[in-house]
Amino acid sequence: MRAYIVRRLLLVIPTLLAIITINFFLIQAAPGGPVDQMIAAQIGLNASMLDRVTGNNANETLNTEKSGSNYRASVGLTDADIEAIKKQFGFDKPLHERYFRMLKDYLFFDFGDSLFRGRSVGELIVERLPVSISLGLWTTLLVYLISIPLGIRKAIKHSSRFDIWTTSIVLAANAIPSFLFAVLLIILFAGGNYWDLFPLRGLVSNNFEQLSTFDKILDYFHHMFLPVVAMTIGGFASLTMLTKNSFLDEIHKQYVITAKAKGLTENGVLYGHVFRNAMLIIIAGFPAAFIGIFFTGSLLIEVIFSLDGLGLLGYEATLGRDYPVIFATLYIFGLMGLLMSILSDVMYSIVDPRINFEAS
């Protein structure tokens, strides 16, 4: 197992390199980069004003199309002004030079400084990461707490009325995106058109530091309730059906029939034999489930509820073309996904020693 882990860790390096390289050149090719945005800010024009001034489409105007050394968006700015702005953001250097410098810095987790926030990217990530992790962790735990008992019950009551109507509810919940549930919860419970029971923004209240320890815990969960519920509703369907099918597969095996023939009760067979075997794939898949929720579910939820996590940070950086923040968040997401994948394989091996990754 140790050799397998070492091989997987070594594979992380080229995989991360590929992720960084693809993202770097794709994002650099996108129109409306930081230089264009700073030029527009310098001349006091937003996109609609640029359309009226130049008679061109704003995206085309803000694109880095040049005539000689002049940007098309450089209305009222001299070439020296443009070069000063480019130097400020490091765009006076060739593309390949910026790429290799970024790779060198990333080896030491040096993500540089944000172009527009006046802080280092590392500080921003350290500040925002706990929010995203807590959101993903509580959602994953709640999904497991709901899905496993429900899946077991559905397996026991297979083809019954309970199984049929719960399947309908689970599939309906899975078909609706989490962000729609979030909007519905806001309308109902966060001062929309009905009740104002939960806060709409932030992870804690403004007076959080003045609260007692117990009140801090209550305040934290008061703010987390709606985001976690929104992510959970749309995320427990697949695990519920996986649990049900896993238990159904085990229930019909020969050792269960033998155990019943020996006089064991149904609960004794279920929780003494079936449960341990059926839960192998579910327990081992916890890291992958967490990273899936962390990646796919948190972005829009953080934006909707104004939670200062990595998802919201990356979203704002993308809109503002803050390249160092964009690259760093993609790097962190990629690294966490790869490490969680390795952890998932390790848990498979621990839970079921029969699995031998050394042979792969």
Side-chain angles (χ1 to χ4, degrees):
M1 188 63 184
R2 186 177 300 175
Y4 173 77
I5 294 174
V6 172
R7 290 202 307 270
R8 288 294 302 273
L9 288 174
L10 291 176
L11 282 174
V12 167
I13 298 174
T15 306
L16 273 180
L17 179 62
I19 293 173
I20 293 171
T21 302
I22 293 172
N23 288 323
F24 179 84
F25 289 103
L26 283 178
I27 292 174
Q28 295 283 346
V35 173
D36 297 301
Q37 298 209 16
M38 180 58 71
I39 291 172
Q42 289 285 340
I43 62 178
L45 296 175
N46 57 28
S48 60
M49 294 175 66
L50 282 173
D51 279 343
R52 292 196 295 270
V53 170
T54 64
N56 295 312
N57 179 270
N59 289 330
E60 295 177 355
T61 303
L62 288 178
N63 196 1
T64 56
E65 183 177 334
K66 304 174 185 178
S67 175
S69 61
N70 296 322
Y71 280 71
R72 289 177 59 188
S74 59
V75 180
L77 295 178
T78 65
D79 289 346
D81 295 329
I82 301 298
E83 291 303 318
I85 293 174
K86 291 170 63 179
K87 186 174 182 180
Q88 176 185 346
F89 292 122
F91 284 87
D92 57 326
K93 298 179 176 62
L95 183 64
H96 70 276
E97 184 176 332
R98 286 185 276 132
Y99 169 70
F100 287 113
R101 180 178 178 180
M102 185 186 71
L103 291 184
K104 179 182 176 182
D105 291 339
Y106 275 34
L107 287 175
F108 304 98
F109 289 89
D110 180 7
F111 302 121
D113 296 325
S114 169
L115 299 181
F116 303 111
R117 295 174 182 268
R119 298 176 60 188
S120 71
V121 177
E123 290 177 356
L124 291 172
I125 291 176
V126 170
E127 181 182 286
R128 303 291 188 95
L129 190 58
V131 177
S132 295
I133 290 179
S134 61
L135 186 61
L137 182 61
W138 290 119
T139 301
T140 306
L141 290 176
L142 191 57
V143 165
Y144 268 71
L145 289 175
I146 295 173
S147 300
I148 292 175
L150 180 59
I152 294 174
R153 186 68 177 174
K154 285 173 64 62
I156 297 173
K157 300 291 185 179
H158 180 57
S159 296
S160 68
R161 184 176 299 176
F162 172 83
D163 181 40
I164 293 172
W165 70 260
T166 52
T167 298
S168 301
I169 294 175
V170 166
L171 294 180
N174 186 60
I176 303 176
S178 297
F179 71 89
L180 288 183
F181 278 116
V183 173
L184 177 62
L185 291 174
I186 289 173
I187 294 173
L188 293 177
F189 303 112
N193 296 327
Y194 297 92
W195 301 281
D196 189 8
L197 302 179
F198 295 94
L200 178 59
R201 297 178 179 276
L203 191 63
V204 293
S205 300
N206 293 330
N207 63 336
F208 183 77
E209 295 301 327
Q210 285 73 45
L211 300 176
S212 64
T213 302
F214 181 72
D215 288 335
K216 285 182 178 180
I217 295 173
L218 288 180
D219 183 73
Y220 168 76
F221 283 107
H222 190 214
H223 283 76
M224 287 290 291
F225 183 80
L226 290 185
V228 170
V229 169
M231 292 180 64
T232 301
I233 290 176
F236 71 92
S238 58
L239 184 59
T240 298
M241 301 310 295
L242 176 63
T243 303
K244 175 191 173 182
N245 293 332
S246 180
F247 272 80
L248 278 177
D249 185 57
E250 292 294 326
I251 286 172
H252 293 96
K253 288 186 176 179
Q254 183 63 42
Y255 75 88
V256 175
I257 300 174
T258 304
K260 289 180 178 179
K262 290 182 178 180
L264 291 179
T265 63
E266 184 174 342
N267 285 338
V269 174
L270 181 65
Y271 295 104
H273 297 276
V274 175
F275 185 84
R276 179 179 56 190
N277 294 326
M279 288 296 293
L280 290 176
I281 188 172
I282 299 168
I283 295 174
F286 180 85
F290 169 73
I291 205 66
I293 292 173
F294 182 78
F295 277 138
T296 60
S298 63
L299 173 57
L300 289 176
I301 297 300
E302 288 180 12
V303 172
I304 292 172
F305 289 97
S306 298
L307 297 174
D308 290 330
L310 276 185
L312 181 59
L313 178 65
Y315 173 77
E316 293 174 344
T318 302
L319 292 181
R321 298 296 194 271
D322 197 340
Y323 288 169
V325 178
I326 296 174
F327 296 142
T329 52
L330 290 172
Y331 180 81
I332 294 298
F333 278 137
L335 180 61
M336 289 186 64
L338 293 170
L339 293 180
M340 282 294 183
S341 176
I342 297 174
L343 180 58
S344 181
D345 288 346
V346 172
M347 289 190 66
Y348 271 113
S349 180
I350 293 174
V351 173
D352 188 358
R354 294 172 299 176
I355 298 176
N356 181 19
F357 288 106
E358 296 290 347
S360 60

